[in-house]
Amino acid sequence: MSPVGMATFEGIAAVREFLEDWWGGYDEFRAEPEEMVDFGNGVLFGIFVQKGRPVGSSGEVGVRYAAMSIWVEGLIVRMTHYTDIDEARAAAERLAEERG
């Protein structure tokens, strides 16, 4: 999450705690994929839209962002989120090439 100004979370427990805290702030929450690209060599890129209704609110908030993930043996071993979608796509392309 560091490219979007947040901390880095490592390990199952830290990621789970972060997600529980994030999702716990909403009465309604959804994250929808807008685009998914498999660049090969275990590198997946996606654009997502998150929308939700914060606890106690009648309004909805949303954010559009990109994520790049590295997969090994069917598991995500690293995921990085970006607010700059072009930067994320370029990083995913470079990483897939490097891993090839």
Side-chain angles (χ1 to χ4, degrees):
M1 298 291 292
S2 56
V4 296
M6 298 179 74
T8 298
F9 302 93
E10 295 185 29
I12 293 170
V15 171
R16 177 176 289 131
E17 181 179 356
F18 166 75
L19 291 173
E20 287 173 351
D21 286 347
W22 185 271
W23 295 336
Y26 296 91
D27 283 330
E28 296 174 17
F29 178 86
R30 64 190 179 283
E32 301 167 349
E34 186 177 287
E35 177 184 349
M36 300 295 291
V37 179
D38 183 347
F39 282 108
N41 299 315
V43 179
L44 188 69
F45 164 83
I47 300 172
F48 299 88
V49 176
Q50 280 187 14
K51 294 182 180 179
R53 187 172 55 78
V55 172
S57 174
S58 61
E60 185 176 79
V61 296
V63 64
R64 183 173 183 254
Y65 66 97
M68 175 185 64
S69 56
I70 301 171
W71 292 72
V72 175
E73 297 180 11
L75 299 173
I76 297 173
V77 296
R78 182 178 194 93
M79 180 176 280
T80 307
H81 293 88
Y82 296 81
T83 55
D84 185 321
I85 291 170
D86 293 332
E87 178 186 357
R89 188 183 307 271
E93 290 173 346
R94 275 192 312 275
L95 183 59
E97 189 173 304
E98 290 170 6
R99 293 173 56 95

